[in-house]
Amino acid sequence: MTDSWDCIVVGGGAAGLSAGLVLGRARRKTLLIDAGEQSNLAAHGIGGLLGHDGRPPEELYARGRGELATYGVAIRSGAVSDIGRVGEDFVVHLTGGTVERTRRVLLATGMSYSPPDLPGVDKLWGRSVFHCPFCHGWEVADQPLAVLGRGDRAVHQALLLRCWSADVVVLTDGPAEFGDADSARLASAGIRVDERPVTALDGADGQLSAVVFADGSRLPRRGLLAGVTMWQRDRLAERLGVAAAAPTPVAEDPVGVDPLCRTSIPGVFAAGDITGEMPQVAAAIAAGSRAAAAVVQSLAAQDYGLPLPERGSAAR
């Protein structure tokens, strides 16, 4: 065990690396622990990230780790099994048995994504089957597309995806049960609704070719927007006693934070997907930077009496 770190960042994705960079540049003794489970590793590239548009995720993360090393941030591969409090500090237990002590904890573990449970999804996910039109819409623009889902969320996604293609079909995998107003919106946008049960997706090398229905018929498509549900990867926040925020349309159990990324537990911060942020790399980077700046300010408040804003609501 080291004497003590100023901050341990749990998670080496976009939010965690961004936080580590800010902490390193602020000359804070920082350890980043990376389990290597970034959700977007399956993607062909990162869409919509200024200066890195289309860059493979693993390349971005490798560059980020190199930048952190420049500022003395220690990076360790592995997973965290538990975090506990000792006085004003925290002890972080790694799965290999190592224990580290830290003054602050920044949770940036991301979320586990649950794509549709359909044969064929695994080899297409993150490429031509996706959950974020802002990340993947450009790559499938002007091609035959589909949205898999029901209810208000499916209507919203279909109307949004219409920005990228004039050929969009909503696949409800059963009775649509849309209200008259939603049906009228879809019709006015030229979006068809297909209620046939979906049984599989067909494609190769990451490229969707067709949606397969229970009756054996096929609908040729080149892209599919499928809603996902996200859960926390572990129970670290829960064991620390961190209050959860209300579920969002995509996140079942986001961690609650205030505008400075502070959780309900003093000394514990959180950033990125884990807080229910828009699941996009650009948003995660911004959140990580904001959280790290708040960590630096909280340490300065403890060390030098720097005044801080009052703690806001932990639910966001």
Side-chain angles (χ1 to χ4, degrees), residues 7-8 10 83 90 92 102-107 240 267-269:
C7 184
I8 290 182
V10 185
I83 303 176
F90 301 88
V92 177
T102 182
R103 299 171 66 192
R104 301 290 186 271
V105 170
L106 201 166
L107 299 174
L240 279 164
V268 179
F269 298 73

Side-chain angles (χ1 to χ4, degrees), residues 142-289:
D142 298 322
Q143 300 185 61
L145 307 179
V147 171
L148 180 61
R150 300 178 186 174
D152 293 342
R153 186 177 175 189
V155 174
H156 174 85
Q157 290 176 325
L159 293 173
L160 190 60
L161 194 60
R162 180 63 178 78
C163 299
W164 282 271
S165 174
D167 185 356
V168 177
V169 177
V170 179
L171 307 174
T172 58
D173 191 29
E177 300 178 350
F178 293 142
D180 291 343
D182 284 338
S183 295
R185 290 188 187 97
L186 293 172
S188 66
I191 297 172
R192 295 180 289 121
V193 177
D194 194 321
E195 299 180 327
R196 289 177 290 175
V198 176
T199 57
L201 302 178
D202 193 15
D205 299 323
Q207 179 57 61
L208 175 69
S209 59
V211 176
V212 183
F213 298 101
D215 60 6
S217 59
R218 298 162 61 89
L219 175 69
R221 295 288 97 177
R222 299 291 289 177
L224 175 70
L225 174 59
V228 298
T229 303
M230 303 190 304
W231 290 272
Q232 291 183 38
R233 297 183 186 279
D234 50 50
R235 308 320 304 173
L236 295 176
E238 181 180 312
R239 286 198 289 273
L240 279 164
V242 170
T248 72
V250 296
E252 287 291 322
D253 55 353
V255 166
V257 293
D258 72 2
L260 291 180
C261 300
R262 298 176 293 193
T263 72
S264 60
I265 301 300
V268 179
F269 298 73
D273 287 1
I274 193 175
T275 68
E277 286 270 357
M278 180 179 183
Q280 191 178 36
V281 172
I285 289 174
S289 178

Side-chain angles (χ1 to χ4, degrees), residues 17 99 309:
L17 289 170
V99 179

Side-chain angles (χ1 to χ4, degrees), residues 286-305:
S289 178
R290 185 171 67 251
V295 169
V296 172
Q297 292 180 75
S298 77
L299 291 167
Q302 182 178 348
D303 294 341
Y304 315 120

Side-chain angles (χ1 to χ4, degrees), residues 39-45 113-137 139-141 143-149 157 161 171 198 200-212 219-228:
S39 299
N40 65 343
L41 288 176
H44 58 79
Y113 287 49
S114 178
D117 184 17
L118 283 173
V121 165
D122 289 348
K123 60 185 178 182
L124 305 172
W125 183 249
R127 295 178 180 268
S128 55
V129 178
F130 51 90
H131 71 92
C132 175
F134 296 101
C135 300
H136 298 275
E139 284 70 27
V140 296
Q143 300 185 61
L145 307 179
V147 171
L148 180 61
Q157 290 176 325
L161 194 60
L171 307 174
V198 176
L201 302 178
D202 193 15
D205 299 323
Q207 179 57 61
L208 175 69
S209 59
V211 176
V212 183
L219 175 69
R221 295 288 97 177
R222 299 291 289 177
L224 175 70
L225 174 59
V228 298

